[in-house]
Amino acid sequence: SISGTVTLTGSGTLDNAITGRITTTGTGVYGISGTPTVTNAGSIVVGGTAIWLNSGGRVANTGTTALISGGTGISIRNANGTVSNDGTITGSAGAGVVIDYAAGSVTNSATGTITGATGGVNFGDTSGAVATVINYGLIASSGGYAVNMDRGVVTNHAGATMSGVSGVQLGTGKL
């Protein structure tokens, strides 16, 4: 168990095993620079942002019991981000997944759940690039869009659910 923020620089890697637990009142995992990779099979439960990668990166929430939970679940900014989810990602005050000022992809498996108070998955500004959301599970928001992006492709497979107070918003692209 780690009580406090884990800081990654450059192409740093964090592998939080199935028995691993990261807790803090602030940010759980903070990628300062580079494109770090975070693999979580355990739990990251925090009061602030669970995973914040400031210069892009990759997050894999692996296994049906894997949990990423915070005010915001995952925030990836300023460079492309990739998120794959087999477990649960929750933003209790913000979005489940936010990728800002870049594009990338979010893939939610049949066992995956992504929820957020203000949005399930939000690509804030893709800067003209094409973002991708592929859903086999559940993406939902109690107060906003299930998925919100200005440019991209949203695929909701048979049996999957996208649910939000405001539905799905896609500026330009394909649903």
Side-chain angles (χ1 to χ4, degrees):
S1 284
I2 297 172
S3 180
T5 300
V6 175
T7 302
L8 301 173
T9 59
S11 59
T13 300
L14 172 65
D15 187 359
N16 192 36
I18 196 165
T19 57
R21 182 171 173 84
I22 298 172
T23 59
T24 185
T25 57
T27 299
V29 179
Y30 182 48
I32 293 175
S33 61
T35 53
T37 298
V38 177
T39 303
N40 179 55
S43 66
I44 301 172
V45 179
V46 305
T49 300
I51 299 173
W52 181 353
L53 305 181
N54 198 47
S55 299
R58 176 179 206 89
V59 177
N61 198 36
T62 60
T64 58
T65 61
L67 173 62
I68 296 172
S69 177
T72 296
I74 298 169
S75 178
I76 302 175
R77 302 177 55 93
N78 304 315
N80 287 354
T82 302
V83 175
S84 60
N85 180 46
D86 298 324
T88 301
I89 300 171
T90 300
S92 62
V97 176
V98 177
I99 300 178
D100 276 336
Y101 310 113
S105 65
V106 175
T107 303
N108 192 40
S109 76
T111 59
T113 297
I114 300 173
T115 61
T118 62
V121 175
N122 182 16
F123 282 89
D125 178 359
T126 62
S127 299
V130 175
T132 304
V133 175
I134 301 169
N135 184 39
Y136 294 91
L138 171 66
I139 300 176
S141 174
S142 59
Y145 295 103
V147 175
N148 176 36
M149 71 172 68
D150 61 345
R151 183 174 182 174
V153 177
V154 178
T155 304
N156 196 46
H157 286 274
T161 301
M162 288 185 181
S163 173
V165 171
S166 304
V168 174
Q169 177 174 297
L170 177 61
T172 303
K174 181 179 177 184
L175 178 61

